[in-house]
Amino acid sequence: MRRFIILAHDVPTHPEFSLDDLPGGAGRLDVLCRCVTAGLLRSHGVRTDSEVIVVIQDELVVRFDGASIRRLNPDERSTAARFREAIADAEDAIGSISVDSSPGVSVARGDFTSVLSDIDGNLVQLHEDGEPLPALEPAEPVTFLLSDHRPFDENKETRASEFGARRICLGPEALHADQAITIANNYLDTNGYRTY
Amino acid sequence: MRRFIILAHDVPTHPEFSLDDLPGGAGRLDVLCRCVTAGLLRSHGVRTDSEVIVVIQDELVVRFDGASIRRLNPDERSTAARFREAIADAEDAIGSISVDSSPGVSVARGDFTSVLSDIDGNLVQLHEDGEPLPALEPAEPVTFLLSDHRPFDENKETRASEFGARRICLGPEALHADQAITIANNYLDTNGYRTY
């Protein structure tokens, strides 16, 4: 099992945004859509052992579960529609109980800390100051922590550290979150993490 | 210098398509947009030593040049608009002479063979039957050959082989073209290919 938790800083917590302006009015939702694609999709197939968890403004938690996802297409716009539907369905979410939105997509109220509290196994924060990727030895399950176009703030850095996250660096270049997910997935694929 | 040449099988050669339906009416232009982003963009920066060349239906050749590109955003829709503009500008292209479309984007009439004829240096075809990635030793320049959601046909396979392309496999999973570009870029970044 592999998980990717991504902090979304600017995605609205209400569904009144246009699919025609993902980088603007939708608060860089394009980044999160690409993260879902990178985390769950291979060529003509789904990574059934993978889960992508997006924490929106420390208020909403949207989960895309590879084991149960249906009709997930790789383009940004159709994934953005799934996000918007989940954000609308969040109005029915009471406390931390999740609401099923579309097949394989669920939403709940929650924040970074509540999500981390539910995670078992190894935590890895992808970070430019981390150890090189080859230092990451195979272990099951593994959860990667990432942020969207904005960096982790000090509070979130502290939280990740308190939960025992190890910092790993993917290479000399600063990458987009979805690119980081693609590289992490490929590293797991080629180093024996494959579990499905 | 690193180049990525991608075959686009279904993208229209006329600009009458909607940006709201990239996977459908635009012939999976979403895939090519993600390839441009993966090839040229880092987090908050451009890979100035990289070029993405898209061969549309063996008729049009659209080039995105990292050294001169301006205002390239990572989302699919805005990159699709650049493609559509270039496809419209192709009407002014005479013979194989390229037309500048928008800053860093040019278009010309041409096909896979004419593009390969102009390439110097090492050719690498990303292929599931290739040698493992670590077999690829540093060399300058390097050009990767990929295809969109459809595989290389026999004719193109033969052409790539005639031009001396070496087959390299990125891992055990079949990946999207843009995911393959991200992994190739990261491999070059971490193995001393960086030239800018």
Side-chain angles (χ1 to χ4, degrees):
Chain A
M1 179 76 196
R2 49 183 87 169
R3 283 192 199 90
F4 301 92
I5 299 175
I6 308 122
L7 298 177
H9 290 87
D10 297 326
V11 172
T13 56
H14 58 78
E16 286 83 39
F17 56 82
S18 167
L19 299 181
D20 293 347
D21 186 23
L22 301 181
R28 296 304 312 273
L29 185 54
D30 60 307
V31 178
L32 289 315
C33 292
R34 288 195 298 277
C35 286
V36 170
T37 298
L40 298 192
L41 295 183
R42 297 171 283 150
S43 181
H44 307 292
V46 174
R47 293 181 177 275
T48 55
D49 71 334
S50 183
E51 188 180 28
V52 174
I53 302 172
V54 177
V55 182
I56 299 176
Q57 295 199 38
D58 242 10
E59 284 185 38
L60 297 182
V61 179
V62 183
R63 286 172 195 263
F64 289 74
D65 174 23
S68 57
I69 196 89
R70 297 289 177 275
R71 302 188 306 276
L72 179 68
N73 296 314
D75 69 295
E76 292 169 10
R77 189 183 176 91
S78 64
T79 305
R82 302 285 284 267
F83 266 108
R84 192 169 64 173
E85 205 178 333
I87 292 166
D89 290 338
E91 290 174 16
D92 299 329
I94 301 167
S96 62
I97 299 168
S98 75
V99 173
D100 290 334
S101 175
S102 57
V105 183
S106 63
V107 63
R109 300 199 178 279
D111 58 19
F112 187 50
T113 305
S114 68
V115 170
L116 287 182
S117 304
D118 285 341
I119 297 295
D120 55 341
N122 303 278
L123 276 186
V124 175
Q125 184 182 9
L126 297 178
H127 200 289
E128 59 187 332
D129 295 331
E131 298 167 85
L133 184 54
L136 185 62
E137 284 168 27
E140 251 310 312
V142 61
T143 300
F144 295 91
L145 309 180
L146 305 94
S147 188
D148 58 6
H149 59 297
R150 295 187 194 276
F152 280 73
D153 63 24
E154 200 176 307
N155 178 284
K156 297 285 190 303
E157 291 272 13
T158 305
R159 203 64 66 228
S161 171
E162 284 170 356
F163 277 90
R166 180 177 178 189
R167 286 185 178 176
I168 292 286
C169 177
L170 298 178
E173 299 291 349
L175 299 171
H176 291 175
D178 62 295
Q179 294 172 339
I181 291 173
T182 294
I183 292 162
N185 260 335
N186 180 252
Y187 180 78
L188 300 185
D189 293 341
T190 53
N191 287 277
Y193 279 70
R194 188 175 177 182
T195 57
Y196 54 93
Chain B
M1 179 76 196
R2 48 182 88 169
R3 283 192 199 91
F4 300 93
I5 299 174
I6 308 122
L7 298 177
H9 290 86
D10 297 328
V11 172
T13 54
H14 58 78
E16 287 83 38
F17 56 82
S18 168
L19 299 181
D20 292 348
D21 187 22
L22 301 181
R28 295 306 310 274
L29 184 55
D30 61 307
V31 178
L32 288 316
C33 292
R34 289 196 297 280
C35 286
V36 170
T37 298
L40 298 191
L41 295 183
R42 296 171 284 151
S43 181
H44 307 292
V46 174
R47 293 182 178 273
T48 53
D49 71 334
S50 183
E51 187 180 30
V52 174
I53 302 171
V54 177
V55 181
I56 300 176
Q57 295 199 39
D58 242 10
E59 283 183 40
L60 297 182
V61 179
V62 182
R63 287 172 194 263
F64 289 74
D65 173 23
S68 57
I69 196 90
R70 296 291 177 274
R71 301 188 307 276
L72 181 68
N73 295 313
D75 68 296
E76 291 170 10
R77 189 182 176 93
S78 64
T79 306
R82 301 285 286 266
F83 266 108
R84 191 169 64 175
E85 204 178 333
I87 292 167
D89 289 339
E91 289 175 17
D92 299 329
I94 300 168
S96 61
I97 299 167
S98 76
V99 173
D100 290 336
S101 176
S102 56
V105 182
S106 63
V107 62
R109 300 198 177 279
D111 58 19
F112 187 51
T113 305
S114 68
V115 169
L116 287 182
S117 305
D118 284 340
I119 299 295
D120 54 342
N122 302 278
L123 276 185
V124 175
Q125 184 182 10
L126 297 177
H127 198 289
E128 60 187 331
D129 295 331
E131 298 167 85
L133 185 55
L136 186 62
E137 285 168 25
E140 259 297 322
V142 60
T143 300
F144 294 92
L145 309 180
L146 304 94
S147 188
D148 58 6
H149 59 298
R150 296 187 193 277
F152 279 73
D153 64 25
E154 202 177 307
N155 177 283
K156 296 286 191 301
E157 291 272 14
T158 304
R159 203 65 66 228
S161 171
E162 285 170 355
F163 277 91
R166 180 176 177 187
R167 286 184 177 177
I168 292 286
C169 177
L170 298 178
E173 298 290 350
L175 300 171
H176 291 175
D178 62 295
Q179 295 171 339
I181 290 173
T182 294
I183 293 162
N185 260 335
N186 181 252
Y187 180 78
L188 300 185
D189 293 342
T190 53
N191 287 277
Y193 278 70
R194 188 176 177 182
T195 55
Y196 54 91

